[in-house]
Amino acid sequence: MNLNDLSSLMERRQDGGLSFERFRADPALAALQWPDDVLRDFLFDHGDNGPFVDDYADLDLSTITWTLETIPAAGLHTMPTGESDAGLIEHFAQNPVHWVTVRPLEVGRHWEDHGTWLRPPLLIDRCLVDPAGSGLQVLEGRTRVGVLRGRLREELHVASEHEAWVGRSQAGTTERPH
C-alpha cells in the first residue's frame, strides 16, 4: 500500500466529510496499525500534499513500523528532509523565536521549560526512501526541527535528547523501549 492507493480516502477527507476519528477508522488503514499521532501527521494532514506525495509516493506504507524513540539533539542538527522541502528546515532555523511565537502559547512554554517540542516529529529511516540511504530523515516536523537548530545556534535552552516517532522497515525493526 502506498499514498496513491489511499487517494479515494484522501478525496473524502478533502471534501470535509471525514473527521480524524472517522479517517483512522477507515478499513483501508486498519492493516497499518500506526499510532494516532503518526496517522494524523503523516496521512491525515499530508497524505494528499503534492510535493509530499512526490517525495514519499513509493513508500510501501504497510512495511513501516513506528516507535517512539529518544534522539540526541546532535543527531537532529544536520538531519535532512524530503527533496521537495530541501532548505525548509534551515528557513525555520533562521528565526526560531518567531516560529514558536506564532504557535499556541503552550508550545513556547514547553520550549522554555523543557528545551524541546511539545509533540514529537516523524522521522523515517532513509533506506526506506533510498535503498542506498542511511540514517534518519525528517518526514514531518520540519518547523520543530528548524526551531531546535535555531535555538542551538542562538544558544537558547535545548534539551540534550528529544522524542520522535521513527519509522523503520518491519523487516529491520527490533523492539525498542518506549
Side-chain angles (χ1 to χ4, degrees):
M1 169 192 326
N2 62 37
L3 287 172
N4 292 324
D5 295 332
L6 299 173
S7 60
S8 66
L9 177 59
M10 295 302 159
E11 287 174 18
R12 288 190 314 227
R13 185 199 51 80
Q14 285 176 356
D15 293 341
L18 286 180
S19 63
F20 175 70
E21 289 71 29
R22 289 184 62 209
F23 178 86
R24 84 168 170 212
D26 191 281
L29 301 177
L32 293 181
Q33 298 183 358
W34 287 3
D36 282 353
D37 288 346
V38 175
L39 276 175
R40 181 180 295 108
D41 288 352
F42 188 161
L43 299 179
F44 188 74
D45 289 347
H46 297 288
D48 58 355
N49 174 302
F52 186 87
V53 172
D54 290 344
D55 286 347
Y56 302 107
D58 294 332
L59 281 179
D60 183 349
L61 304 178
S62 63
T63 66
I64 302 172
T65 298
W66 294 91
T67 56
L68 193 58
E69 298 183 18
T70 302
I71 308 294
L76 294 155
H77 192 64
T78 58
M79 191 176 292
T81 191
E83 188 177 314
S84 69
D85 286 326
L88 191 58
I89 292 173
E90 287 310 312
H91 169 75
F92 295 126
Q94 289 174 4
N95 195 348
V97 173
H98 166 75
W99 293 108
V100 168
T101 59
V102 298
R103 301 291 190 255
L105 286 175
E106 63 265 20
V107 170
R109 280 192 217 115
H110 202 78
W111 275 107
E112 292 305 316
D113 295 345
H114 303 283
T116 192
W117 37 68
L118 187 59
R119 291 181 42 243
L122 307 183
L123 311 178
I124 194 161
D125 190 328
R126 294 191 76 216
C127 71
L128 290 170
V129 180
D130 173 8
S134 64
L136 298 175
Q137 173 171 314
V138 179
L139 178 81
E140 201 289 317
R142 293 164 302 280
T143 305
R144 285 168 270 182
V145 174
V147 166
L148 178 137
R149 289 182 189 177
R151 289 178 66 89
L152 282 169
R153 187 184 60 249
E154 293 182 11
E155 299 181 2
L156 300 171
H157 176 51
V158 175
S160 61
E161 298 180 322
H162 306 269
E163 285 193 335
W165 286 105
V166 178
R168 300 183 190 279
S169 170
Q170 286 178 357
T173 301
T174 57
E175 264 316 297
R176 296 178 186 269
H178 295 283

